[in-house]
Amino acid sequence: MLITHDTECALSILVELLNTAPEVCGAEKLPDLAALDAFVVGQEISEIDSLTGDDLRQVHELRTRLREVFATESTEAAAELVNSIVAAAGTTPRLTDHDGHDWHIHYFAPHAALGDHLAAELGMALAFILMAGERERLRRCEAPDCARVFVDLSRNRSRRYCDSRTCGNRLHVAAYRARQRSAEAVPSA
Ligand SMILES: [Zn+2]
Ligand SMILES: [Zn+2]
């Protein structure tokens, strides 16, 4: 799969962003500018000027649109969404080796608003996934009461659950208990 390290980093920010939504957490995880600012710092998003209420609204809207990409049933539908997300952001691809990183491409326009910055970077990361024919790696957790999304970068695309501690472990425990119960149900000869 032709997914670069930079794309992987962007996909990780994408997943973190999508999993802040109220439909995932039961409550909005980015309710105000302080939370949004903490997200920017935590995800090491560079070249962001001070945030305003417009940024918060734009990021919430973008998050909804990005999540729709995970719900598409075809690459055509996903491509259409990604194209419109990226087009609305306006991109100016440029090479950079800022902060000691290797040379990589920034797609966001310099000092773009946070929403446009994320739309360009995360939209392009999704574009690379689609271009590689890997839309099915964009997954929603299969745990019954979990709405988190993740990108399955495992070699054999076998991941079914998000990496929240509860999902993977809880289901392993449930499967273990079920096996134990059925073992106990077998009458010993
Ligand atoms: Zn960079
Ligand atoms: Zn989950």
Side-chain angles (χ1 to χ4, degrees), residues 108-178:
F108 62 91
H111 299 283
L114 178 60
D116 288 337
H117 177 126
L118 291 174
E121 293 297 315
L122 309 185
M124 286 306 296
L126 285 169
F128 290 126
I129 285 279
L130 297 179
M131 193 169 74
E134 303 283 1
R135 183 184 58 84
E136 287 172 15
R137 290 184 187 271
L138 309 175
R139 302 255 172 89
R140 201 184 129 160
C141 180
E142 288 182 24
D145 54 354
C146 183
R148 289 166 65 95
V149 297
F150 64 93
V151 179
D152 178 9
L153 293 176
S154 69
R155 188 173 297 231
N156 55 3
R157 305 176 198 176
S158 58
R159 225 178 118 191
R160 297 173 57 202
Y161 305 110
C162 75
D163 57 6
S164 87
R165 202 148 292 165
T166 41
C167 288
N169 286 345
R170 188 184 52 194
L171 285 148
H172 286 153
V173 169
Y176 172 75
R177 293 218 175 103

Side-chain angles (χ1 to χ4, degrees), residues 13 39-48 108 114 117-118:
I13 295 173
F39 181 84
V40 167
V41 172
Q43 298 299 320
E44 297 179 18
I45 300 166
S46 60
E47 291 184 46
I48 297 299
F108 62 91
L114 178 60
H117 177 126
L118 291 174

Side-chain angles (χ1 to χ4, degrees), residues 6 46 96 98 101-102 104-106 108 121:
D6 294 315
S46 60
T96 170
H98 69 96
H101 292 293
D102 288 339
H104 60 288
I105 294 177
H106 280 176
F108 62 91
E121 293 297 315

